Amino acid sequence: MKNENLYNYILGIADNSLILGQRLGELCGHGPNLETDIAMTNINLDLIGQARSYYQYAGKLTGQDKSEDDIAFLRLEREYRNVLLVEQPNTHFGYVMVRQFLFDMFHFMLMEKLQHSKDETLVAIANKGIKEVSYHKRFSSDWIKRLGDGTAESNAKIQEAINDLWRFTDEFFQLTEADKAMVEVGIGVDVSKLKEDYYKKVSEVLEEATLQTPENKYFTKGGKEGLHTEHMGYILAELQYMQRTFPNMTW
Amino acid sequence: MSEKEIKNLEAIFEARIARDEKIEPKDWMPEKYRQTHIRQISQHAHSEVVGMLPEGNWITRAPSLRRKAALLAKVQDEAGHGLYLYSACETLGISRDELYEQLHSGKAKYSSIFNYPTVTWADMGAIGWLVDGAAIINQVPLCNTSFGPYARAMVRVCKEESFHQRQGYEIMLTLCKGTPEQKAMAQDALNRWWWPSLMMLGPTDAASVHTEQSMKWKLKRKTNDELRQQFIDQTVPQADLLGLTIPDPDLKFNEKTGHYDFGAIDWDEFWQVVKGHGPCNKERMNARVSAWENGAWVRDAAMAYAEKQENKKVAKAS
């Protein structure tokens, strides 16, 4: 493949949307009330829509006429490039919201920068995506505040989720080989430069929500290199079920 | 109020309905009208919300990203229908929490069709085509029903249902144009969903307890048997177009009546499911009750937070 680095760079962004969408898809119809169910399905729809745009673009780069579905459904676990955070389970609504919030804050910053990429297609996707992600960020930040500054029980539950999921945040700012190559040619975003601002903004929201920012300095990584947590195989088993059971069919 | 005054109000009320005027929430209405509407609108709302479960079952396994997005959007529409139907119901003086309580305790019913399992992807097609198809036949007349908030909600519901029905049929069409395995999957889904879909239109006229009163209030414009015949007449040619066989050996077009004759419906199965002993009644109710119970701390937190914000505003202002 001529543009292998660009291809891998795109998957690094797209797979986050796909896998987070897949996790949110498990929740549809099971939310704490109808309003949150509707809102989170909206977010899910945005994420799947974004993933489709990225995969369609990536498909063209392969030179083998691969479809969005070939890329989304027919890779091996080690070939998915999403960060570990997005594959973490829906333990309870607090985990769902913290996962969303920690991701949205990063996702928004990434989209902001991607709007200035030298790649026109990525710019177009980012221009559309940032409007959606800006809503996601507002929705999840609002919930962090509600749950943090709600009841003692909700505060404890959300703090537990933050403490647990915090270790997955540093991975956002790691650069893969593909990332580095794309940063060099002005297409990719140098995510390592977003780190300081990210933690500052996240802490501001947590503080307003009367929550503690964890002091934990030990982080986990691997997703971007295709080394996932034990949850990933099960996610893919569901995601890929139809495509693997009935190969080469039109749906 | 004296009995004579009530009789007088009732006469005015019935005359308004006869003139096809809309009854609005603040208008006087007989208590029975209010109760009947609470029962029917909430049953409809519950059906939308429970109906999210069998289809939600396939979101993570949808076979393509396009289908995944369409299914998500469909289930989201159902949540939306639930939301505005509950709101319409609330105008009759009952809260959403009370309505949930009735659902969770088993006092309120929802459409029995959602107590059947969705076991293959083709069920997403069959539900859209048959279940939404039967629902539309039930619901289109409600756009002109006498209670204003319900009639207005139904206009929007019907538009979206009709889109869902086309989408379901298109899933079936794709399967039927696909491989033999795909076509077999479609036929199997039709075999399983056909009879429950016919039952969806309600018990036979002879066994229906609410029909007469509901016809009078325009909550119903056609009887269950008339609606069922309409559904069959409309659906058989669609099955022919798919190249699928309807699982009824007695189904035959009757030249004399201009309608399809059909075989006997297994009403024992219908009543078994209505009474709570269908394949998924327990699972559906467990899912709803757990969602509600597991969400209690979230709703409590949202209320507490809103209260704190309100207090802060008041403190600032004073």
Side-chain angles (χ1 to χ4, degrees):
Chain A
M1 201 188 310
K2 208 169 68 190
N3 292 308
E4 198 164 350
N5 280 327
L6 178 57
Y7 177 80
N8 283 325
Y9 181 72
I10 295 168
L11 294 193
I13 303 174
D15 288 348
N16 287 336
S17 295
L18 176 72
I19 300 300
L20 184 55
Q22 188 68 7
R23 273 299 190 207
L24 292 174
E26 297 168 15
L27 292 169
C28 199
H30 303 275
N33 61 21
L34 276 176
E35 287 82 349
T36 45
D37 248 337
I38 292 172
M40 288 174 61
T41 311
N42 250 340
I43 293 176
N44 194 350
L45 277 166
D46 290 341
L47 292 171
I48 300 293
Q50 290 162 11
R52 291 181 68 185
S53 305
Y54 289 122
Y55 292 140
Q56 283 162 12
Y57 182 32
K60 284 185 200 144
L61 298 173
T62 60
Q64 300 161 29
D65 199 25
K66 279 201 180 185
S67 73
E68 59 181 51
D69 291 330
D70 293 335
I71 302 176
F73 292 94
L74 296 174
R75 279 176 288 151
L76 300 173
E77 178 172 332
R78 291 297 304 263
E79 293 166 338
Y80 283 83
R81 304 281 163 203
N82 57 283
V83 292
L84 301 177
L85 178 75
V86 296
E87 66 199 50
Q88 297 313 302
N90 301 318
T91 310
H92 60 57
F93 189 77
Y95 277 80
V96 173
M97 270 311 135
V98 170
R99 182 183 64 204
Q100 193 67 42
F101 166 68
L102 293 175
F103 178 71
D104 292 343
M105 295 296 277
F106 165 74
H107 198 191
F108 183 79
M109 295 168 89
L110 178 69
M111 289 295 108
E112 265 184 329
K113 297 285 179 210
L114 200 60
Q115 287 182 305
H116 306 290
S117 165
K118 280 188 181 162
D119 184 296
E120 279 177 20
T121 309
L122 290 180
V123 170
I125 300 175
N127 281 341
K128 180 168 182 284
I130 196 157
K131 293 181 200 125
E132 299 165 344
V133 178
S134 137
Y135 163 73
H136 304 173
K137 183 171 74 115
R138 201 177 72 212
F139 177 80
S140 59
S141 305
D142 284 351
W143 269 108
I144 294 296
K145 290 175 206 165
R146 268 185 217 118
L147 297 174
D149 196 14
T151 63
E153 184 191 8
S154 71
N155 180 281
K157 278 197 138 108
I158 197 102
Q159 187 69 58
E160 174 206 357
I162 289 166
N163 295 349
D164 245 22
L165 295 175
W166 195 254
R167 66 198 149 114
F168 298 112
T169 52
D170 186 69
E171 191 187 6
F172 295 143
F173 312 105
Q174 310 268 338
L175 292 160
T176 63
E177 287 310 311
D179 291 350
K180 285 177 197 159
M182 286 302 101
V183 170
E184 210 156 284
V185 293
I187 289 176
V189 176
D190 186 350
V191 282
S192 67
K193 290 188 179 151
L194 305 177
K195 189 170 171 173
E196 202 178 319
D197 200 24
Y198 173 84
Y199 284 111
K200 187 169 158 278
K201 285 183 171 146
V202 166
S203 296
E204 281 167 8
V205 176
L206 295 184
E207 194 176 329
E208 201 187 327
T210 70
L211 291 161
Q212 305 295 318
T213 299
E215 284 172 18
N216 168 28
K217 295 279 184 278
Y218 296 99
F219 294 100
T220 315
K221 60 178 184 180
K224 284 183 163 182
E225 307 288 348
L227 188 58
H228 293 279
T229 57
E230 289 179 345
H231 303 295
M232 188 67 174
Y234 295 93
I235 294 177
L236 295 183
E238 282 190 32
L239 177 74
Q240 299 184 340
Y241 166 61
M242 290 296 291
Q243 289 274 344
R244 296 285 188 204
T245 313
F246 304 98
N248 303 316
M249 297 186 196
T250 304
W251 300 98
Chain B
M1 216 180 295
S2 74
E3 210 167 299
K4 195 176 159 201
E5 281 171 318
I6 292 181
K7 280 260 173 318
N8 194 24
L9 283 171
E10 270 175 6
I12 296 172
F13 177 85
E14 298 295 346
R16 287 186 66 194
I17 291 192
R19 287 196 301 271
D20 265 336
E21 278 179 35
K22 290 279 174 272
I23 306 300
E24 295 300 333
K26 285 183 177 162
D27 296 347
W28 185 89
M29 60 184 81
E31 192 51 26
K32 194 167 174 221
Y33 180 91
R34 183 186 303 276
Q35 292 309 328
T36 300
H37 278 77
I38 289 178
R39 183 178 59 79
Q40 177 160 339
I41 301 172
S42 69
Q43 189 170 318
H44 189 170
H46 297 326
S47 301
E48 296 284 356
V49 172
V50 177
M52 293 169 73
L53 299 169
E55 290 178 286
N57 184 37
W58 277 89
I59 289 172
T60 59
R61 292 177 294 166
S64 70
L65 292 180
R66 183 172 84 89
R67 292 293 185 200
K68 194 189 285 289
L71 184 58
L72 268 168
K74 185 185 176 199
V75 179
Q76 187 187 37
D77 282 349
E78 282 154 10
H81 297 172
L83 199 57
Y84 38 86
L85 287 165
Y86 282 125
S87 305
C89 205
E90 283 182 307
T91 66
L92 290 162
I94 188 163
S95 70
R96 213 203 297 179
D97 283 8
E98 286 171 277
L99 294 169
Y100 277 145
E101 175 52 38
Q102 292 180 353
L103 173 68
H104 298 159
S105 71
K107 188 186 164 208
K109 298 269 178 263
Y110 57 89
S111 180
S112 270
I113 193 89
F114 301 119
N115 292 315
Y116 288 86
T118 51
V119 295
T120 72
W121 169 252
D123 291 5
M124 297 303 100
I127 288 183
W129 173 36
L130 302 172
V131 176
D132 293 335
I136 293 169
I137 287 196
N138 255 332
Q139 292 168 4
V140 164
L142 292 172
C143 298
N144 294 312
T145 190
S146 60
F147 187 53
Y150 193 29
R152 290 188 288 273
M154 290 318 295
V155 172
R156 183 161 165 193
V157 169
C158 284
K159 271 187 201 154
E160 291 177 352
E161 290 297 350
S162 137
F163 178 71
H164 296 164
Q165 203 236 353
R166 283 202 298 273
Q167 200 174 61
Y169 191 72
E170 198 255 330
I171 290 178
M172 294 302 271
L173 200 58
T174 309
L175 292 174
C176 291
K177 284 197 286 197
T179 64
E181 278 163 296
Q182 285 175 301
K183 190 156 185 189
M185 196 190 281
Q187 180 65 56
D188 172 58
L190 172 58
N191 293 349
R192 285 179 291 107
W193 291 95
W194 175 253
W195 292 104
S197 299
L198 297 191
M199 294 177 200
M200 249 184 99
L201 295 147
T204 54
D205 296 345
S208 174
V209 287
H210 301 296
T211 295
E212 197 192 334
Q213 181 66 76
S214 297
M215 296 279 273
K216 208 166 116 198
W217 285 335
K218 297 176 181 171
L219 247 178
K220 246 188 180 171
R221 302 231 165 193
K222 285 182 183 171
T223 69
N224 293 349
D225 288 335
E226 286 170 335
L227 293 171
R228 192 165 9 251
Q229 188 66 57
Q230 185 187 337
F231 175 71
I232 293 170
D233 290 345
Q234 145 188 329
T235 309
V236 175
Q238 294 171 351
D240 291 344
L241 204 66
L242 293 171
L244 296 178
T245 310
I246 290 193
D248 178 359
D250 297 327
L251 188 81
K252 203 175 156 224
F253 190 72
N254 183 329
E255 297 284 351
K256 249 192 245 160
T257 60
H259 296 293
Y260 283 88
D261 293 337
F262 54 97
I265 293 174
D266 181 357
W267 292 109
D268 287 344
E269 176 181 321
F270 174 77
W271 291 112
Q272 179 177 339
V273 183
V274 169
K275 287 176 181 157
H277 308 287
C280 297
N281 295 60
K282 287 201 169 57
E283 287 77 2
R284 300 294 182 242
M285 211 30 64
N286 283 346
R288 284 315 314 157
V289 172
S290 340
W292 186 247
E293 286 175 354
N294 294 336
W297 69 273
V298 176
R299 296 189 303 273
D300 289 347
M303 291 295 285
Y305 178 77
E307 221 166 274
K308 283 184 197 176
Q309 296 305 106
E310 194 54 38
N311 291 344
K312 272 185 203 165
K313 246 192 246 165
V314 174
K316 236 184 207 171
S318 60

